[in-house]
Amino acid sequence: MKKIALNGNEYFVGKIVCVGRNYVEHAKELGNDAPNYPILFLKPPSALIFNGENIEYPPFTKNMHHEVELVLLIGEDLKNATLEEAEKGIAGYAVGLDMTARDLQNEYRKEGNPWTVSKCFDTSAALSEFVSAADNRNILENEIELQINDIVRQRDKLSLMIFSPVQLVSFISSRMKLEAGDLIYTGTPKGVSAVQVGDKLSAKIGDLCSLTVGVV
Ligand code: MG
């Protein structure tokens, strides 16, 4: 099992809930309207890698995309959480990468099938260290950024999110129980594009957290 340490606590990573199309400009760049409710999918904990590790380019895709995202760590069990309970239930913030086999995702979407395989492959969820949510209540005032080989490819204000972290946690907990150690990838801003073997991906949120991974 994968473990996360924060504020002297140790969390075993549970499910990873991911949010799709949570920024208007990103929804548009993939040809979608902004959603009326959070679009959710899951990644398995086995997909996780941490700072300094490598993304392994899967042999079954020819178009692997980067999606840089704010990631939430759930600190306590939540079911039908109010906004206030949801805020209290978020233990930490990190920056992560939701790697996506875009060609497969488009194919599955066209066929009306689940896009699971395009999102769940090994090493498809990269994650930085967490910072305490209690110490960073103004997290949405920060910018999120991804550089590839030292060139900025994604950079936007977190405040452009359609559904805020608190709204997401409250909504998700009304559809499935959230447990301590669950992670939530909150969606990517505009600027997604393909990565290549040999690339170096460096992601950060303000000066709070950062992540560097290679592609092999
Ligand atoms: Mg994503």
Side-chain angles (χ1 to χ4, degrees):
M1 286 182 98
K2 316 248 176 177
K3 279 188 269 184
I4 289 169
L6 176 65
N7 290 344
N9 294 317
E10 199 170 63
Y11 299 87
F12 290 96
V13 177
K15 59 186 168 293
I16 304 174
V17 185
C18 303
V19 181
R21 303 174 205 162
N22 200 22
Y23 291 79
V24 173
E25 294 299 320
H26 170 65
K28 275 192 204 162
E29 75 182 346
L30 294 185
N32 299 301
D33 293 329
N36 297 320
Y37 55 89
I39 294 171
L40 306 180
F41 59 94
L42 297 170
K43 279 181 190 270
S46 53
L48 263 192
I49 58 168
F50 297 97
N51 190 34
E53 298 188 320
N54 287 317
I55 296 163
E56 295 168 11
Y57 203 111
F60 47 79
T61 176
K62 292 186 169 55
N63 192 19
M64 179 167 62
H65 274 199
H66 55 80
E67 298 188 355
V68 69
E69 312 199 356
L70 169 69
V71 183
L72 316 178
L73 171 63
I74 299 301
E76 56 193 65
D77 294 1
L78 297 169
K79 191 174 170 69
N80 295 319
T82 63
L83 294 177
E84 199 177 23
E85 289 164 343
E87 179 160 29
K88 222 173 114 266
I90 301 172
Y93 299 115
V95 65
L97 292 166
D98 165 18
M99 301 306 293
T100 304
R102 192 71 71 201
D103 46 354
L104 297 185
Q105 186 189 32
N106 289 338
E107 197 180 312
Y108 296 139
R109 277 179 48 198
K110 212 179 298 166
E111 293 168 354
N113 288 326
W115 66 47
T116 306
V117 170
S118 71
K119 289 284 195 178
C120 286
F121 53 89
D122 301 343
T123 75
S124 66
L127 191 60
S128 74
E129 298 280 309
F130 277 87
V131 295
S132 158
D135 295 343
N136 293 284
R137 289 289 177 214
N138 300 325
I139 185 75
L140 296 186
E141 291 173 11
N142 289 280
E143 283 193 332
I144 189 167
E145 180 184 294
L146 174 70
Q147 295 188 8
I148 300 186
N149 306 326
D150 302 320
I151 295 167
V152 175
R153 300 289 283 274
Q154 292 186 271
R155 180 163 64 201
D156 255 317
K157 292 193 177 81
L158 288 173
S159 58
L160 291 173
M161 270 184 203
I162 298 170
F163 302 104
S164 72
V166 167
Q167 288 172 321
L168 288 173
V169 169
S170 175
F171 177 83
I172 295 166
S173 79
S174 74
R175 298 298 190 269
M176 65 184 100
K177 187 195 335 178
L178 286 169
E179 299 174 297
D182 287 349
L183 303 178
I184 299 174
Y185 279 62
T186 59
T188 194
K190 67 181 183 294
V192 300
S193 65
V195 302
Q196 312 298 334
V197 169
D199 283 348
K200 182 185 77 171
L201 280 61
S202 301
K204 64 177 182 176
I205 292 175
D207 298 323
L208 297 177
C209 47
S210 63
L211 167 70
T212 299
V213 292
V215 183
V216 298

